[in-house]
Amino acid sequence: MKAVIMAGGRGTRIASVNSEVPKPMIPVLDKPILEYQIECLTRQGVKDIILVIGYLGHIVKDYFGDGKKFGANITYIEEKDPLGTAGALYFLKDEIKEDFLLLCGDLIFDIDVNRFLSAHKNNGATVTLFTHPNSHPYDSGIIIADGNGQVKDWLHKEDKRLWYRNRVNAGLHMLSPKIFTKFPTLEKRDLDRDILKPLISEGGLYVYDSPEYVKDMGTPDRYYSVIEDIQSGKVRGKNLANKQKAIFLDRDGTLNEYVGFLTSIDNFKLLDGVTEAVKKINESGYLAIVVSNQPVIARGEISLEELQEVHNKMETLLGADGAYLDAIYYCPHHPHKGYEGERPEYKIDCACRKPKPGMIFKAEKDFNIDLSQSWMVGDRETDVECGKNAGCKTALIGQGDSADINGKNLKDCIDAILR
């Protein structure tokens, strides 16, 4: 597989760090951003790399040459005039005949490329976006996809939004060669607005959602944050080829105020200290994953769409203060039948309703989680039992002797776990 890296950026927002080289060549711990990218790709067998260069492109060429010193075969496309974030792909129409990876040159990342490619192929997508949650969704473009990963909408920063799922385009894309039909002529093009967003109406745009490490170097704050993450091992460790560890979180009574069966979005309110606790999980390297029984679906008291909107509100409120969830799993089932308005298809004895561990096992498979190094945190004995059934360590909010640790709220439990 070939990889195409857009490496012509100026880096005006990060000029205070280094204004003497193009943005992808800004040194991070004495090594340019672009070198980290090439190392990650070649380590996984992606050795044919095309660099699209422009501003001070000779600096890139002089450093990387033909790529042999870096275990790669590097060729170049040099923009004489600026062609935007996608125009230069016109030059690859006759060269690339298979699916390829396209990425921005200002990213520090470490992802399992083969997982990404498999998801792209399985969906038969024209383009698959790598999406993830981040700590600043309020000033990021939001990608809205259905349960099959097909993109239904794309909200840019200036678009009006209320409650939304914290999923943003990370700047990594898997493309089918079918995309070249969108480049009949050589002209300046914007990748997002001119090429990708129009694919939504054609049904050809999908997402690959992953908690792996991807961070752009657009601002000095993010630059210094990345340095810390490289030094701590967090960048490499988040690659899903490596075993992950997670903190599984109950929802009602743990993250939000318990109001019985929550059937109205207006009744959803985060508990005090929850955002701080989730942020600590994010910073620790653990995945933050919600596992919640939602029998209100089986009872017919709320629709799947309404439940999704409740979860969107939860993610929006967390994201407003820099916290995020890596995944949300819920069980819509309830085994007891015979109630007015119930949905018979959900009235089953399932494997996912806590204290059964089905939701945790699904997350284990999705994210390559080592359950023996993971925790289940909740406010009920069923949460503790679920965690034990999955082979996790457990924390209980409140009193009791069943869990490994106890705390008076989520923050207490997270502080104890991280100690």
Side-chain angles (χ1 to χ4, degrees):
M1 185 176 67
K2 294 181 185 293
V4 180
I5 304 177
M6 308 302 289
R10 285 176 175 264
T12 52
R13 291 185 301 162
I14 199 172
S16 62
V17 173
N18 191 316
S19 61
E20 301 174 351
V21 296
K23 190 175 182 181
M25 294 300 292
I26 291 175
V28 179
L29 298 174
D30 300 321
K31 193 160 57 177
I33 298 169
L34 199 50
E35 188 170 347
Y36 284 95
Q37 297 186 340
I38 292 171
E39 284 179 350
C40 179
L41 295 174
T42 56
R43 190 172 69 243
Q44 299 181 71
V46 182
K47 299 180 183 295
D48 290 326
I49 298 171
I50 301 166
L51 300 182
V52 180
I53 57 177
Y55 173 71
L56 297 180
H58 65 279
I59 295 177
V60 179
K61 265 188 166 181
D62 290 346
Y63 188 91
F64 289 102
D66 62 8
K68 288 181 180 177
K69 188 170 73 171
F70 303 92
N73 173 36
I74 297 178
T75 56
Y76 299 87
I77 294 175
E78 189 164 2
E79 295 182 347
K80 302 301 181 183
D81 298 303
L83 293 171
T85 52
L89 294 182
Y90 173 86
F91 295 112
L92 300 174
K93 294 173 68 172
D94 298 324
E95 180 175 345
I96 297 182
K97 303 300 182 183
E98 298 179 343
D99 296 311
F100 65 100
L101 180 65
L102 173 67
L103 57 133
C104 304
D106 62 347
L107 303 173
I108 290 291
F109 66 89
D110 203 313
I111 70 165
D112 187 333
V113 175
N114 290 318
R115 271 185 177 238
F116 188 13
L117 178 61
S118 294
H120 170 73
K121 287 180 174 292
N122 289 341
N123 286 326
T126 303
V127 176
T128 301
L129 308 176
F130 187 108
T131 58
H132 64 162
N134 75 10
S135 60
H136 51 97
Y138 45 83
D139 70 353
S140 302
I142 297 295
I143 307 298
I144 300 173
D146 65 17
N148 296 316
Q150 190 175 47
V151 178
K152 297 301 182 182
D153 204 356
W154 187 324
L155 302 178
H156 295 286
K157 287 188 286 189
E158 65 272 19
D159 292 333
K160 186 178 180 181
R161 59 178 86 165
L162 179 58
W163 309 124
Y164 51 86
R165 191 173 182 220
N166 180 351
R167 287 302 179 272
V168 305
N169 181 16
L172 297 161
H173 319 78
M174 201 68 73
L175 288 81
S176 160
K178 293 183 290 186
I179 198 65
F180 292 122
T181 61
K182 307 297 182 183
F183 296 87
T185 58
L186 177 62
E187 57 186 281
K188 187 175 183 178
R189 296 178 188 275
D190 180 84
L191 179 64
D192 292 353
R193 298 172 190 267
D194 298 336
I195 305 301
L196 301 181
K197 197 169 181 180
L199 290 174
I200 297 174
S201 61
E202 301 174 19
L205 188 63
Y206 282 76
V207 298
Y208 169 74
D209 194 52
S210 172
E212 292 168 294
Y213 194 99
V214 184
K215 187 169 287 190
D216 75 78
M217 307 290 284
T219 66
D221 284 348
R222 292 178 204 166
Y223 173 83
Y224 293 114
S225 173
V226 164
I227 289 176
E228 291 180 10
D229 291 340
I230 291 173
Q231 291 175 322
S232 70
K234 184 176 180 181
V235 176
R236 178 70 69 89
K238 297 285 280 187
N239 186 308
L240 289 184
N242 303 314
K243 281 291 184 182
Q244 304 297 306
K245 55 184 181 178
I247 297 179
F248 297 100
L249 303 166
D250 174 50
R251 197 192 79 176
D252 301 318
T254 300
L255 295 175
N256 57 284
E257 294 179 3
Y258 180 75
V259 294
F261 291 117
L262 194 154
T263 58
S264 170
I265 193 171
D266 295 334
N267 293 330
F268 183 92
K269 296 179 182 178
L270 290 177
L271 289 164
D272 291 342
V274 161
T275 299
E276 183 183 352
V278 173
K279 192 184 298 187
K280 286 185 175 184
I281 299 173
N282 301 149
E283 293 168 351
S284 72
Y286 280 92
L287 301 178
I289 299 176
V290 170
V291 288
S292 175
N293 287 347
Q294 289 300 315
V296 287
I297 297 296
R299 291 162 61 95
E301 295 175 335
I302 192 172
S303 67
L304 292 172
E305 292 74 20
E306 289 168 329
L307 178 62
Q308 182 60 57
E309 193 68 1
V310 169
H311 289 160
N312 289 349
K313 181 177 181 179
M314 176 167 61
E315 294 206 56
T316 304
L317 294 175
L318 289 168
D321 288 321
Y324 58 85
L325 300 169
D326 292 292
I328 300 172
Y329 295 85
Y330 63 87
C331 169
H333 307 114
H334 192 265
H336 304 150
K337 302 178 182 179
Y339 296 91
E340 184 179 355
E342 69 184 18
R343 294 186 174 98
E345 66 272 27
Y346 295 113
K347 286 290 184 175
I348 62 172
D349 186 11
C350 64
C352 54
R353 179 174 167 80
K354 293 183 292 186
K356 294 180 181 177
M359 288 185 283
I360 292 180
F361 287 158
K362 178 70 165 59
E364 175 193 28
K365 180 180 179 182
D366 290 344
F367 300 121
N368 192 21
I369 296 171
D370 181 351
L371 296 180
S372 69
Q373 296 299 311
S374 299
W375 290 78
M376 175 71 216
V377 184
D379 65 325
R380 298 193 172 207
E381 293 295 339
T382 52
D383 298 317
V384 174
E385 190 177 345
C386 175
K388 289 183 175 180
N389 289 338
C392 298
K393 290 169 278 191
T394 58
L396 177 66
I397 297 172
Q399 300 299 314
D401 300 324
S402 58
D404 294 294
I405 61 173
N406 294 78
K408 64 179 183 288
N409 53 36
L410 180 62
K411 182 178 177 299
D412 266 4
C413 289
I414 299 306
D415 285 344
I417 289 170
L418 297 183
R419 281 198 298 271

